[in-house]
Amino acid sequence: MHRLQHLANRSLIARVFNQSPALVRTKARETSCLVQSIRLKTQGPVEQYGQKRFSTAEATVVLRENGKMREKSLTMDTLNPQVKAVEYAVRGPIVTKAGDIERGLQQGQKHPFTEVIKANIGDSHAMGQKPITFLRQVVALCSFPELLDSSSFPEDAKQRARRILQGCGGQSLGSYSASQGVDCIRQDIAVYIEQRDKGVPADWDNIYLTTGASDGIVSILKMLVSGQGRSRSGVMIPIPQYPLYSAAISEMEAVQINYYLDEDNCWALDINELHRAYQAAKEHCHPRVICIINPGNPTGQVQSKKCIEEVLHFAYEENLFVMSDEVYQDNVYSPDCQFHSFKKVLYEMGPEYFNTVELASFHSTSKGYSGECGFRGGYMEVLNLDLEVKAQLVKLLSVRLCPPVSGQAAMDVIVNPPLPHEPSYLQFHKEKRAVLGALAEKAQMTEQILNTVPGIKCNPVQGAMYAFPRIFIPPRAVEEAMSLGISPDMMYCLRLLEETGICLVPGSGFGQREGTYHFSRLGLSIYGLFNL
């Protein structure tokens, strides 16, 4: 916590940017050199860098008869241009620099701090969150069935492990599962969804286990992208957005359609903005899908039921496929907010909507209260697919064989937790409440402390795991950053990293309205910031 207090006390924005022009220019030149050095590491001349780095006999370049070096088949000129177009801000140049500083600290280099806090990505356990005991017990039992004979494990964990193993080939977690996932786990997910949505029916045949939510999102986008020119598929995404969406759209050569969330209204979604974005996009592409992130990443808002109804009506009228990213459904902190699944709201709008609107909803082991990012567990429920298209989806998923079966087991625990009569119930819910309570407290603290810093304005964090505060950067610093070819918030985040050891992501990596600047990923990483 002392680093955030330190940030507030020193008024970092003013300190970073309100300096003499000569000093700003010096610092800017240093920043420019830094960015260029990072770019060279990742984008520099491949042949020259490779020769300098590798000198072993195995890596020696074979020379042609005329003495010229053999040309590489894969260079920046021959690289797939869609790969070059992909950008993923949460693991971008800032993170590369943070890694360099970390290694320097380990080698004895001196900095104004003793460690780097990587607040660039939502990795709960890396930032100090403790695993949920029951989840780890079930996965351990599945991984090493000999433990089923141990008295150290509760019977409810053993029962779940036995059921999962019975659904696995050879009763081993090391076997492939069906491409859609282990049947009994899909069935448990269907029961969970019905309970969550107060009786709305769920068919386990519509449920697909995925490698985290990201795998499912990319798979659905692959199904939707087609056409050329003005008939090329357009994908509507919120701005700010999680960079997975823009990266996937770039890789697939789809058309990104931005709709802007309302920062002045706690990042609410305005239906009029959806209509504006849609009508403008129709001039150059075919809008086919709308993506929603609820609760919001990176903005932390929770959508109201009325807002969801408006979005679904809009999708119904414009014949859009709906993708609802709901991985933060357990992370709602504001007492005035409640999570509403898109599926439940669609059902309540009546059969005309529920039986026609195509909807894919996504969930994951990585967020919520478990924070099990490394297991790469997740699922999607896909409604109202054409039957022939559904067969094509199964075919597409079969190419990657199956999601990690250990991640499927972890997902099963999240949807099938201990019941009140079972021995693990009290400990499980104690741990769950502790995690969610800590997140709620620290999210509120993040908002309060950031709003004490001159030059920073932070909206309430209603849910999810992040804040997306606005930073007001002086015009002189904006001009300096622009002259160097980098965004002002990138320059700010680089300086913040160098002076405090806090690794954040510039808002430009998520998208923002022109003329505004932000940083993100602070909310979840308050584990690291506040537990120091």
Side-chain angles (χ1 to χ4, degrees):
M1 186 167 84
H2 74 275
R3 290 203 201 176
L4 275 183
Q5 291 173 333
H6 181 63
L7 183 74
N9 293 338
R10 293 171 65 190
S11 302
L12 188 65
I13 294 244
R15 207 173 135 275
V16 168
F17 293 120
N18 290 342
Q19 299 170 339
S20 70
L23 183 56
V24 170
R25 283 193 294 273
T26 300
K27 288 290 186 180
R29 282 193 294 272
E30 293 174 359
T31 300
S32 178
C33 292
L34 167 63
V35 172
Q36 290 302 320
S37 69
I38 293 171
R39 286 174 178 165
L40 283 172
K41 288 183 180 181
T42 56
Q43 301 177 6
V46 178
E47 294 84 355
Q48 295 177 17
Y49 184 70
Q51 290 178 54
K52 290 177 182 178
R53 184 176 176 187
F54 301 111
S55 58
T56 62
E58 292 83 353
T60 302
V61 177
V62 178
L63 299 181
R64 293 183 184 274
E65 290 182 4
N66 59 9
K68 290 185 178 179
M69 183 172 60
R70 176 189 179 277
E71 294 181 356
K72 294 185 182 296
S73 60
L74 181 61
T75 69
M76 290 301 291
D77 290 332
T78 61
L79 181 68
N80 183 334
Q82 274 59 62
V83 173
K84 288 190 281 188
V86 168
E87 294 184 3
Y88 190 60
V90 296
R91 292 184 183 266
I94 293 281
V95 186
T96 303
K97 176 60 179 175
D100 291 342
I101 292 175
E102 231 175 8
R103 285 185 289 274
L105 285 169
Q106 293 168 0
Q107 295 166 8
Q109 292 180 9
K110 299 299 181 184
H111 289 274
F113 45 87
T114 58
E115 66 172 323
V116 173
I117 292 180
K118 292 183 178 178
N120 61 291
I121 195 166
D123 191 348
S124 304
H125 290 195
M127 300 309 298
Q129 180 177 317
K130 300 302 181 185
I132 298 295
T133 302
F134 186 74
L135 187 151
R136 289 296 183 91
Q137 287 174 331
V138 174
V139 176
L141 289 163
C142 290
S143 301
F144 193 61
E146 287 81 353
L147 294 174
L148 289 165
D149 297 326
S150 171
S151 60
S152 299
F153 290 80
E155 190 57 36
D156 48 356
K158 292 180 180 180
Q159 289 172 352
R160 282 162 177 77
R162 290 189 187 102
R163 182 168 183 266
I164 292 169
L165 288 172
Q166 287 170 4
C168 296
Q171 296 194 16
S172 171
L173 212 62
S175 61
Y176 288 126
S177 75
S179 297
Q180 302 99 311
V182 176
D183 283 354
C184 67
I185 298 176
R186 296 168 67 202
Q187 292 162 5
D188 287 345
I189 293 170
V191 172
Y192 162 79
I193 292 172
E194 285 193 10
Q195 292 174 346
R196 181 199 66 188
D197 292 342
K198 312 300 184 189
V200 177
D203 183 350
W204 68 273
D205 193 46
N206 292 330
I207 292 163
Y208 308 82
L209 275 299
T210 57
T211 306
S214 302
D215 172 45
I217 291 166
V218 171
S219 296
I220 294 297
L221 285 175
K222 283 181 180 178
M223 301 283 290
L224 287 159
V225 174
S226 64
Q228 298 295 328
R230 291 187 63 177
S231 66
R232 189 63 174 167
S233 296
V235 182
M236 300 184 69
I237 63 172
I239 298 296
Q241 51 99 26
Y242 178 51
L244 164 69
Y245 292 92
S246 55
I249 290 167
S250 293
E251 185 179 356
M252 298 175 198
E253 292 188 88
V255 179
Q256 179 173 318
I257 305 170
N258 296 338
Y259 65 88
Y260 290 89
L261 302 178
D262 185 358
E263 183 171 10
D264 293 332
N265 191 22
C266 204
W267 299 111
L269 193 162
D270 182 356
I271 191 65
N272 294 321
E273 171 62 12
L274 289 185
H275 285 288
R276 180 208 63 78
Y278 178 84
Q279 293 300 327
K282 284 174 64 178
E283 299 297 320
H284 59 272
C285 71
H286 178 197
R288 296 191 61 202
V289 56
I290 180 169
C291 303
I292 311 289
I293 309 174
N294 179 49
N297 175 6
T299 42
Q301 85 283 5
V302 178
Q303 291 185 0
S304 67
K305 182 178 178 181
K306 180 177 182 297
C307 175
I308 296 173
E309 288 174 343
E310 290 176 339
V311 171
L312 289 170
H313 179 72
F314 169 76
Y316 175 84
E317 291 291 325
E318 304 298 351
N319 198 30
L320 296 174
F321 192 108
V322 180
M323 296 176 63
S324 181
D325 184 339
E326 299 176 344
V327 301
Y328 299 99
Q329 58 189 258
D330 287 312
N331 302 104
V332 178
Y333 313 128
S334 171
D336 300 324
C337 297
Q338 179 183 348
F339 171 75
H340 300 276
S341 77
F342 267 67
K343 179 188 178 182
K344 182 173 185 290
V345 175
L346 186 65
Y347 179 82
E348 292 171 346
M349 291 174 71
E352 183 179 1
Y353 290 88
F354 187 66
N355 296 328
T356 58
V357 174
E358 295 146 294
L359 169 67
S361 305
F362 307 90
H363 197 14
S364 168
T365 63
S366 301
K367 310 305 176 185
Y369 57 87
S370 64
E372 294 284 7
C373 304
F375 278 120
R376 307 307 300 132
Y379 74 79
M380 61 181 176
E381 182 185 24
V382 189
L383 303 181
N384 296 320
L385 272 190
D386 176 272
L387 290 180
E388 291 183 336
V389 172
K390 188 172 183 177
Q392 293 295 312
L393 174 60
V394 174
K395 179 185 73 174
L396 178 64
L397 296 176
S398 70
V399 172
R400 48 84 156 129
L401 297 177
C402 71
V405 182
S406 56
Q408 296 186 48
M411 191 75 248
D412 187 74
V413 178
I414 291 172
V415 301
N416 186 23
L419 299 173
H421 67 276
E422 293 182 309
S424 299
Y425 178 81
L426 291 178
Q427 181 181 3
F428 175 87
H429 282 275
K430 180 182 178 181
E431 293 175 353
K432 177 181 176 179
R433 284 194 303 269
V435 171
L436 294 176
L439 279 170
E441 178 185 354
K442 294 170 184 177
Q444 183 179 22
M445 201 179 299
T446 297
E447 173 203 342
Q448 291 173 345
I449 291 179
L450 286 176
N451 281 326
T452 68
V453 181
I456 295 181
K457 180 184 178 183
C458 183
N459 274 324
V461 182
Q462 298 174 336
M465 292 183 172
Y466 314 103
F468 197 71
R470 183 173 178 180
I471 46 178
F472 295 87
I473 299 177
R476 189 175 69 227
V478 172
E479 292 172 6
E480 202 68 49
M482 295 302 187
S483 70
L484 296 168
I486 61 174
S487 64
D489 46 12
M490 168 69 86
M491 189 162 75
Y492 172 80
C493 288
L494 283 169
R495 294 287 305 281
L496 183 69
L497 173 63
E498 292 173 332
E499 297 195 18
T500 69
I502 299 174
C503 177
L504 299 174
V505 185
S508 50
F510 299 85
Q512 54 197 355
R513 284 194 180 274
E514 187 175 351
T516 66
Y517 309 103
H518 303 79
F519 62 77
S520 185
R521 317 314 277 174
L522 186 59
L524 173 101
S525 299
I526 47 184
Y527 271 111
L529 290 170
F530 289 100
N531 286 339
L532 292 174

